[in-house]
Amino acid sequence: RYQEEKELRSSNEEAMVTAICKTMTSITASSLTTIAGFLALCAMRLTLGRDIGVVMAKGVALGVICTIVILPALILTFDKQVEKYKHRTIVPKLTKLSYFVSKHAMPIVAVFLVLLVPFVVAQQKTEVYYTLFDSLPQDLTGIVGTNKLGEDFGMTTSHFILVDEDLTATQVSDLCDELKDVDGITQVVSLDSITGPGFQTELLTEILQSGGYKLILANSSYKTGTDSINNQLTEMNDLIKAVDPNGVITGEGAMTKDLIEVADVDFKNVNVWSIMAVAAIILISFRSLSIPVLLVASIEAAISINMGIPYFTGTQLPFIASIVIGTIQLGATVDYSILMTTRYREERLALRSPK
């Protein structure tokens, strides 16, 4: 914009002042929408989102300050060098494309909406994984060992169950028998099942009974993060609560199930908050009800396409991707829509036709 204003103004300083003033609306709106997109991650109960959101929002704010304060000073200071080494524009102006889009607006919108449908459907079917193991090299010692346990002993996932130490040996034994009947459970071990009623072993007691709880170990043949193990955990939890209302299950499988439930809520919260925040900022900036709808809709369409592509390529995404991609892509790329719309309105105020 500075280069454009230099051809119209009497001095470089005046050109810079005008350039800053004329771009301030788009810069402010663009930066605030990006910041809002990142801050929407703070709506996540998973605190990883808050950590990412605050740092990224702070980074954008600092970037904007540098852009409107330091960058103009640098350009004016080194204007002679900039002019000396100026070369022709490498990026083409795409004049033919511009005329084509302007002349065929309605058909382009219609074709776009038709093409968007399969991507929206595909986005809902893109596979997501929640287990850290799936994203690590499979030749790591720990993963090789875990896979070996699964192959040789059927120990794909281990559940650690805590029940009240006041439960009798008979109650614990009956509970273990019921847990063994749950689909996918290969082994159940407790202090009472090892020693038998009335038999005391000091070492085992220290390991399997402490802090007011007795420990029961249950091995599962199901993989963590799957529907099979989540259903298994639900059935096991019902059996445990029937014996001890305060009993709990922990371990990788249970924690991953919690993570899935938290992530599902986080995904919805982040999407809603990011869209509302971005739309509100655009509404205030442009003083229009229709522009926020059009701008947000265009980027949400791009997000659907982006998230639908993995389904067609057979790619699994980590769960965090589906949460952060939407809000980051919305906050960061709506800037282009804001810039385009700001300039379009400026040209309309200059009494040019919509086309």
Side-chain angles (χ1 to χ4, degrees), residues 314-334:
T315 305
Q316 271 194 323
L317 296 177
F319 77 95
I320 196 69
S322 56
I323 297 175
V324 302
I325 285 176
T327 181
I328 291 176
Q329 188 174 339
L330 173 62
T333 62
V334 76

Side-chain angles (χ1 to χ4, degrees), residues 279-290:
I281 291 168
I282 298 173
L283 173 68
I284 295 169
S285 299
F286 287 93
R287 295 191 292 273
S288 166
L289 289 173
S290 59

Side-chain angles (χ1 to χ4, degrees), residues 127-135 146-147 150 154-160 184-185 218-233 249-261 316 319:
E127 291 189 24
V128 176
Y129 66 84
Y130 294 83
T131 52
L132 181 63
F133 280 178
D134 292 342
S135 61
T146 301
N147 292 336
M155 294 172 61
T156 303
T157 306
S158 295
H159 304 305
F160 301 94
I185 294 297
N219 291 323
S220 172
S221 60
Y222 296 150
K223 187 179 179 182
T224 296
T226 60
D227 290 338
S228 298
I229 199 166
N230 291 338
N231 294 333
Q232 182 186 81
L233 283 163
I249 310 176
T250 185
E252 185 187 356
M255 291 178 68
T256 303
K257 183 174 183 290
D258 290 342
L259 179 61
I260 293 171
E261 294 171 355
Q316 271 194 323
F319 77 95

